[in-house]
Structures are given as C-alpha cells and as structure tokens.
Amino acid sequence: MARPPRRSGNLPADATSFIGRRHELAEVRKKLTEARLVSLVGPGGVGKTRLAVRMAADLGRGFPGGAWLVELAEVRDPARVGDAVLATLDLRDQAATAPLARLLAHLRDKRLLIVLDNCEHLLEAAARLVTEIMKAAPGVRVLATSREPLSAPGEHVVPVPPLQLPAAGPLERVRQNEAVALFVERAAAGSGAFELTAANQAAVTELCRRLDGLPLAIELAAVRTRVLSAEQILDRLSDRFGLLTGGVRAALPRHQTLRTAIDWSHDLLSAGEQALLRRLSVFSGRFALEDVESVCAWDGVPAELALDLLSSLVDKSLVMKEDAGSLACYRLHETMREYAGLRLRAAGEEEAVERRCSGYYRSRCRRSAAEARFRLVEWLAWMDLEIDNIRSVLRRCPAREGVDLVYFLGWYWMTRATSEGVRWLDGLLASGLGDPRTRARGYYMRGFLAVLQSDPAAARPALERAVTAAREADLPGLLSQSLSLAAIAANMAGDHTSTRRLSEEAHDLAADLDDLPATLMTLQSRALNGLSDGDLDAVRAAASQGVRLSREAGDLYSLGMMLLNLGSAMLMAGELDESKPLFTEALRLAHRIDDRVAQYCLLDALGCHAAGSGRARLAARLLGAAETVRAGAGVSIQPFLTRLVTRAEETATAALGVPGFKAEYESGGHLSRDAAVRLALGEPAPTARSVPAADAGPLGKREAEVARLVADGLSNKRIAARLFISEHTVDSHVRNILNKLGFNSRAQIAAWMAASGQADGRSNTASGSATFDEGSSDTV
C-alpha cells in the first residue's frame, strides 16, 4: 500500500533573503527539543516572525503533520483565537459543538508544529488555548511570538534581541556583521546598485548603530538608498535623534528608536502618501485597490491617484503586497498599523474613516447578497479576502445593522464558518429588535445555520420567530423559506405532523410567488424529508425539478444539493448506473465552492456506490476519506446516509475481511481532500511534469476577465456586479484594455476576443435573474 503524502503545512516562502540569527536559531532548536511551548519575545520590528518561520521551516520535516503558521495580528476578538487555529489547519467551523473541543479532538493524535504569531494583544486567550493544546495533544509543539511572554505553564522564553551592532574594523569584517549585511542586501534590492565600500563603510556602520540593530528600522532606512546616499540618510536620522536627546549621544529605548525611524520615513512622504498611510490603518486584514479607492480616497487623496500613492507606499516598504489568486491585495505590518493608527487619531480622522469603512462594506455586502448565490465562486473568493475587515465592521455595528450584515453574508456562514455565524447572531439578536424585517432575516438565518448543524432544538424556535416576523413584515418569499426550513427541522426532531403541515403551507405559498429561492427551498424540504421517510418517489419529483431550476439559474449550491438528493434516491432504489453521474457532478461542484459538508456527503455516497458495484477496496478508502472530511468540518452524519453507509461498510468488510477493510479505510482517511476527490472522480494524481505557462497575452488575469464580459455584451455596471468590484475599477480596466490593444471601442474588444478564441459565449441567465430588489425577493 502506498504511503499517503505528508502535509507540509502552510509556511510562506521567503520573499526576501533571511540574514543572520545563527545564535537564536540554535537556541530555539535546543529549547524545542526540551519543551513543547517556546515563546520568542522581543519588541515590535525586531524580526520575531521571520525567525519563527525560518525555524519552523528548518524543523518542519521532523513533524509528520507539518508546520503551521497561525497569524493572530488581524484577530481582534479573543474568542476567535481558536477559530484562527482551526482555519489555519484547514478545518471548518461548522459544528454545533464548541470550536475548542473540535480543535483538541483533531490535534489529539497529531505530531505537528504550530507557530502562533503576534500574540501580544491576545495574551490571556492565547495562553488558555495553548494550555489546553498542551494537555490534550502530546505530539504538538507550539512556537509563539509576542512582545511579552504568554505566562502559560511549561513556557520556555527565548528573548529576540536586535541584530548585533557593528564595530569599526576592516571592510571584510564589517560586511560579516548581521545588521550591516541586512542593510546592504535590502539597499541593493531597493536601489539595484548599492554596495558596501570603504567610502560608505563608516556611514552604514553608524547608521545601523543609530537604528539599534532593529531589522524593521534598518529596512525602512535601506529602501531610501534609491534617492539618498547612506551618508545623507545618516545625517537626517542623526538630526532626528539629536532633537530627542538634546544633542547628547545617549541611547533611546528601543521602542522609541523604532518610532523615530518610522517617524523619519513618514516625514519624507508626500502629504497624499501620509494621508493614505494613516487611513489604511482602518483595515483589519488584507485589502484590495477598490477598497482603498472607496474608503481612503477623499480630502487630499484623489481616487485617480490612489493606485500611484499605494504603489509608492509599497515601494517604500511601508505597505506589503500579496496575491490572492489573480487579485493583488495589500496589508500593513502590525507595527506599521499601530503607527498609522496613532497618526490617524492625531489627524482627527478616525471617526470619519471608520464611518466610511463601515458604510462601504455594509453597502457592498447588501448589493452583492442576491447576486452571490448565482456567482458563488467569485463571491466566496471575495469574502475569503475581506472577512477580517467585515468582522471589524460587525464589531462596530448597531444591532439592527449588524443582523442585516450577517444575513447578507449567509453563503459565507453556510459554506465556511457556520458556528461563527451562529455566535454573531446569538449576540446581536439578544439585544432585541423592533423592526420585523430585520428580525425575520436574523431568525431565518439563525434557523438555517442550526439546520446545517443538525441542531433541531435551536432551529425550531428560531424559525418560529422567523415565520412570525416574516408575516408581520409581509415578506412572502422569506416566509415560505422559513416554513420549508421549519419542516426540515421538525422532521429532524421526529415531529412528522408538524413536518407535513409546515411543508404544505410552504408549498402553497411558494406556488403563488415568482420567487426562485422560495421554490428551491420548498423542493429541498420535500426532497430531504422524503429521504428521511423513505418516500423515493417524492424525492425524485422534487429533486428533478430542483436540478432543472438551479441549473438554469446558475445556482451552484442548490444544484449540488439537488443532485445529491436525486442520486441518493436512485442509490436507495438500486439504480447504480443512474446515480453515479449525479454524484460525480455534485462532487465537482462542492469541490469548486469548497463546501465541506457536501464533499463529505458525496464521498460517502460514492463509497456506497463503489460497495454496491463490487469495488470493495475503493469503497473502504472513500468511506475513510469521507469520515476525515466530516470530522474536519465538524458536522454530524446525515441521517439518510447512516443506513447506506452501514450497509456499504458491511458489504466491503465481507469482501476484504476485517483487517483488510480497516487498512483501506485508514488509508483513505489519510488522504488529503484533493486526493480523496480525485480518487472518487477516478482522476489521476497530478504528476511532477512541467505545467505549461499561462497565456502570455497582453492582458492581465483581471483584464482578461473584464474583456470576456465586455465581449458578452455586459455594461460596466453588470461587470462590476459579476466580479464584485466597483464600477470605477471596471472603467479603469476597460481603459487599460483599450490602451494595451490599441482599440477605441468595446466592439473591437469583442471582435479581438472572438478572433483569439477567448470569448466563451456564456449565458447571462444567472446575471439576468439575480437583480437585487429588497421589496420582492428578500433572500440570501
């Protein structure tokens, strides 16, 4: 039997070379052989994160479960520390059980290294979590970074000092100093031609000493060699330090040294750059250009100059650029975010920027809510990028606005973070809401999430309140959906009388509405309840109609569920050939939108199909893989699958014997999700052969997307809705496309796309059917 591939973790590749720290690396390595919790402690900007990541990369091969970087800088709620670890380990927060219990259950038999980065603002929560992990998971080691110790039991602290300060001496000896080497390397990277010479040796040496060997301060100074010599940088910094010390060559505290270095770099910025930098501190996580244009571009920062100003801040190492798929995004180093926040408050702009930020994200989420179900892949990618910023907005929202925002994010909670959505709603709804429309939305979503968690005790009272509020607010579409969900919850609880009554009322109401979401929810209710009751004819009728409607509309989530329902009915009826293509199509959809609950159900379903088809070895592996995915999502096994899975396990065990079944089941359980999906679909594993490079045409990825939609005849407004970007950004892309191709009309773009074979002729059914109208279709 082939050994399953090891998971290497998620450590980022070094964007720049790692310099020095031999002593600290040796000390940390020694400590981690003696202790299971080691904390790297030092001031901001001293290089704790780089040291921790390098150490984890060096040690990662010794941990079969890999090395995992958990970034806490963007986590502001202590209750979410465990969630951050779950997300980093690629686990989903979709269970009704507490996230900590799920995390500990997952880690119990693992051997892996967790790097818990930037703990200083979450010390108590981080210490509690680490203590629980140490008790429950003996094979796990934790390497934490913080400005002060966690004070957790068994913690070993390794101080991280600044880089060794250079002393005067021969040029070759000075070159070997770590602080000097860092300055020279970053200066050469920034200016393209910097070298340490006998002429500038004294200036560079004194500069590194002035900056107290702090890596962040040295990097900020080094990047200025693009326009200043080392001697000029030293002169200007010496003037700055002289003002603080009254001209006496006295050492400043290290935090003041760093603050002074950042002050100096900040003061060299233009007024527009300064304004943009301080306003960027409002973002809690990553952000994209259109976010900057909408939130920060006002009074001194023209929208048309936002890109140039942002690019300048990146060039000066004040903002970090990353890539999220095909989209460029940005973030601030935590120390820089703190500094920019101080500048924002000093400028008296904090309230104005927070108001603009909250309004922007609430408006954008509301506008995209109805479109999301028809553009789910793109919408979820946008949410994965923006969720930390939206969480920050949620923390500032009044209850009514907060409930509406949580409701608009429904697809995120349903596919990514069910338990987190529950926690937001429980807190917001507890404050009491006078507006029936908001109450209907909030309790409907609370009930929906409880149904996904197989928790009828929570779902039924929430959905009763949703039904009452929807009647009061005269929201027939939402009323019908709430009744359908209430029928599912009643069936889960074994209340068949209520199931029939609620289902009939939902069906009658939806029949009089031209409301696709209400109709699909009614069909889902009838199909699920039919599977539970063994009424396969009812399942076939409802699921077949649901497949047709959701496919026509481009509703991937509903289509996947309906395919699973229809395939399950056929599997129960012994129609194996008919069920398999339904399951495989549904699995491809679930993998595409990364819906873990659906993936587990479909792996189980295909395992049952394999057992019924006489492929016992494949059946055992798929059933083992399904259990791993189910545990990773934290969900309960679906009742209608229990009987099928039990029968499949018995069939495969009879064919393989108990030891053989157990070995194959465990082998499947060790597969990655991607490998399990490939196995279920009969697709070969990827090979190491070279992959052709992407088309090296004149357009970037985002420009090519916009060009295709232009070729489809969409207006800028519709393209913005499709791609979840601003209309202003679309207009900018179109202008760039015209300039690159030398065209002056949209018709020429369409003709060029057709001639190059890139126009795909996709139907616009989904976009045409998804216009958001709060008055007629109040749905997620």
Side-chain angles (χ1 to χ4, degrees):
M1 186 191 313
R3 295 181 63 186
R6 289 183 176 181
R7 301 186 68 185
S8 59
N10 71 331
L11 299 180
D14 285 338
T16 55
S17 59
F18 184 86
I19 293 174
R21 298 296 194 186
R22 290 187 295 274
H23 172 77
E24 288 81 5
L25 287 169
E27 180 68 11
V28 175
R29 184 186 297 272
K30 177 183 176 184
K31 291 288 188 184
L32 277 173
T33 63
E34 303 169 351
R36 293 177 51 218
L37 169 60
V38 175
S39 294
L40 305 182
V41 176
V46 81
K48 300 183 294 295
T49 299
R50 286 296 302 272
L51 176 59
V53 170
R54 171 49 63 100
M55 190 74 262
D58 289 349
L59 296 176
R61 289 184 294 273
F63 292 91
W68 300 86
L69 174 64
V70 182
E71 298 179 281
L72 297 181
E74 293 162 2
V75 176
R76 291 292 178 262
D77 182 358
R80 288 203 58 255
V81 174
D83 295 346
V85 180
L86 280 173
T88 298
L89 295 174
D90 200 28
L91 304 174
R92 282 288 158 85
D93 176 25
Q94 295 183 269
T97 55
L100 177 60
R102 289 196 44 249
L103 175 62
L104 297 181
H106 173 79
L107 293 176
R108 201 172 310 279
D109 60 350
K110 300 292 189 299
R111 287 181 56 210
L112 54 82
L113 174 65
I114 296 174
V115 179
L116 210 57
D117 190 35
N118 287 116
C119 298
E120 53 272 348
H121 60 300
L122 299 162
L123 284 174
E124 291 185 12
R128 286 196 300 270
L129 177 67
V130 169
T131 300
E132 294 297 328
I133 291 175
M134 295 293 100
K135 290 191 293 187
V140 174
R141 278 174 163 71
V142 176
L143 181 60
T145 75
S146 179
R147 295 179 190 177
E148 55 184 295
L150 304 187
S151 299
E155 178 183 27
H156 284 222
V157 175
V158 175
V160 180
L163 298 173
Q164 181 184 14
L165 299 181
L171 182 61
E172 286 306 314
R173 185 190 302 168
V174 172
R175 279 200 179 106
Q176 295 172 10
N177 175 264
E178 293 179 351
V180 170
L182 177 63
F183 182 93
V184 171
E185 198 275 343
R186 299 299 189 261
S191 65
F194 187 87
E195 293 184 14
L196 184 70
T197 66
N200 64 21
Q201 170 185 350
V204 171
T205 299
E206 182 60 20
L207 191 55
C208 291
R209 294 182 64 82
R210 279 286 189 178
L211 294 174
D212 210 11
L214 288 166
L216 179 57
I218 290 172
E219 293 193 16
L220 290 175
V223 77
R224 289 294 180 174
T225 56
R226 293 177 180 176
V227 293
L228 298 172
S229 68
E231 291 82 0
Q232 288 173 312
I233 296 172
L234 177 61
D235 288 343
R236 284 157 176 75
L237 270 172
S238 295
D239 290 344
R240 170 78 60 167
F241 282 109
L243 288 173
L244 291 173
T245 60
V248 179
R249 297 179 57 85
L252 294 171
R254 283 173 182 152
H255 72 274
Q256 186 62 60
T257 298
L258 181 60
R259 170 65 189 266
T260 302
I262 298 176
D263 272 337
W264 172 80
S265 188
H266 171 270
D267 289 350
L268 293 177
L269 301 176
S270 68
E273 290 170 333
Q274 291 178 354
L276 181 56
L277 178 62
R278 64 178 179 260
R279 292 170 191 173
L280 291 177
S281 67
V282 77
F283 295 112
S284 294
R286 297 178 297 176
F287 49 89
L289 175 60
E290 50 262 41
D291 305 328
V292 176
E293 292 172 333
S294 298
V295 175
C296 304
W298 51 280
D299 195 15
V301 182
E304 62 271 18
L305 295 181
L307 175 57
D308 291 341
L309 294 172
L310 183 61
S311 298
S312 181
L313 293 177
V314 171
D315 289 342
K316 295 176 174 65
S317 298
L318 298 170
V319 173
M320 293 180 286
K321 180 179 178 292
E322 300 176 348
D323 288 318
S326 62
L327 181 67
C329 61
Y330 310 87
R331 66 184 177 91
L332 292 176
H333 185 286
E334 184 62 13
T335 300
M336 199 60 62
R337 192 200 316 273
E338 291 177 5
Y339 177 85
L342 292 173
R343 286 284 183 174
L344 186 70
R345 287 188 285 278
E349 293 181 342
E350 184 176 23
E351 183 178 345
V353 175
E354 287 184 351
R355 185 170 59 250
R356 289 175 65 93
C357 184
S358 296
Y360 165 71
Y361 281 109
R362 288 201 309 270
S363 175
R364 193 166 178 187
C365 291
R366 179 187 62 78
R367 289 197 313 270
S368 67
E371 181 83 3
R373 74 183 299 145
F374 304 108
R375 304 293 301 171
L376 199 52
V377 174
E378 295 90 342
W379 186 87
L380 286 171
W382 176 72
M383 280 298 303
D384 288 336
L385 169 65
E386 299 281 10
I387 186 60
D388 284 318
N389 296 317
I390 295 172
R391 285 177 177 129
S392 180
V393 171
L394 272 170
R395 285 194 297 272
R396 298 194 294 263
C397 271
R400 176 178 173 178
E401 293 176 353
V403 169
D404 282 343
L405 183 52
V406 172
Y407 171 79
F408 293 140
L409 303 181
W411 296 105
Y412 183 81
W413 314 128
M414 290 154 56
T415 61
R416 297 289 192 272
T418 309
S419 296
E420 183 186 349
V422 165
R423 292 195 296 273
W424 281 115
L425 285 169
D426 285 348
L428 292 163
L429 291 169
S431 62
L433 299 167
D435 177 37
R437 184 188 194 91
T438 302
R439 274 190 283 117
R441 287 172 165 173
Y443 283 114
Y444 163 78
M445 185 53 61
R446 180 63 180 91
F448 198 146
L449 298 182
V451 167
L452 290 178
Q453 291 180 323
S454 300
D455 185 8
R460 297 187 75 182
L463 291 167
E464 286 175 6
R465 292 185 177 95
V467 166
T468 299
R471 291 190 201 279
E472 183 181 349
D474 191 22
L475 300 172
L478 194 59
L479 173 59
S480 175
Q481 292 188 80
S482 298
L483 289 166
S484 295
L485 277 172
I488 297 173
N491 199 18
M492 285 180 175
D495 184 351
H496 299 294
T497 300
S498 294
T499 299
R500 287 190 293 272
R501 173 180 59 80
L502 292 164
S503 185
E504 289 171 3
E505 185 178 356
H507 178 268
D508 292 343
L509 185 58
D512 295 331
L513 299 173
D514 182 18
D515 190 311
L516 178 64
T519 300
L520 288 173
M521 187 65 81
T522 300
L523 295 172
Q524 176 72 351
S525 175
R526 288 165 58 192
L528 282 180
N529 292 335
L531 286 172
S532 178
D533 299 338
D535 187 351
L536 300 187
D537 289 337
V539 179
R540 289 175 188 269
S544 296
Q545 185 182 359
V547 166
R548 178 180 60 82
L549 291 175
S550 54
R551 193 188 300 281
E552 290 174 354
D555 184 344
L556 299 186
Y557 184 88
S558 297
L559 177 58
M561 292 297 101
M562 295 299 178
L563 289 167
L564 172 60
N565 296 337
L566 185 57
S568 297
M570 292 181 172
L571 185 64
M572 290 177 177
E575 300 173 15
L576 297 180
D577 291 342
E578 291 81 0
S579 68
K580 186 173 182 179
L582 300 172
F583 289 144
T584 55
E585 181 183 0
L587 182 56
R588 286 191 175 93
L589 291 173
H591 191 245
R592 187 178 172 197
I593 64 174
D594 199 14
D595 182 350
R596 307 291 174 83
V597 176
Q599 287 176 51
Y600 121 70
C601 289
L602 289 157
L603 289 170
D604 258 343
L606 284 164
C608 293
H609 179 277
S613 303
R615 304 177 68 187
R617 193 180 302 276
L618 175 62
R621 288 193 179 186
L622 291 178
L623 295 172
E627 175 56 23
T628 296
V629 176
R630 185 201 66 78
V635 295
S636 303
I637 188 168
Q638 295 296 316
F640 74 88
L641 280 173
T642 303
R643 298 187 299 274
L644 292 172
V645 170
T646 299
R647 187 170 65 192
E649 289 178 344
E650 292 170 350
T651 301
T653 301
L656 300 172
V658 173
F661 175 82
K662 182 178 179 181
E664 295 296 339
Y665 187 92
E666 291 179 352
S667 175
H670 285 97
L671 292 174
S672 68
R673 278 188 308 101
D674 286 345
V677 169
R678 286 195 299 269
L679 177 65
L681 296 176
E683 297 175 351
T687 64
R689 68 178 184 273
S690 61
V691 179
D695 178 19
L699 304 184
K701 291 182 180 179
R702 180 63 92 183
E703 288 170 343
E705 289 177 319
V706 171
R708 278 193 289 271
L709 295 175
V710 168
D712 285 346
L714 273 66
S715 67
N716 285 4
K717 183 176 182 180
R718 295 303 304 154
I719 294 172
R722 280 285 190 98
L723 301 180
F724 302 103
I725 59 180
S726 69
E727 193 172 345
H728 171 80
T729 301
V730 175
D731 183 64
S732 177
H733 283 312
V734 172
R735 288 198 306 271
N736 289 340
I737 293 166
L738 292 171
N739 290 335
K740 285 186 176 183
L741 300 180
F743 295 157
N744 53 27
S745 74
R746 298 168 79 91
Q748 289 176 300
I749 294 175
W752 183 82
M753 293 294 290
S756 62
Q758 297 184 65
D760 59 12
R762 291 170 294 182
S763 166
N764 293 328
T765 302
S767 66
S769 64
T771 303
F772 185 75
D773 181 356
E774 288 197 12
S776 61
S777 181
D778 197 338
T779 58
V780 170

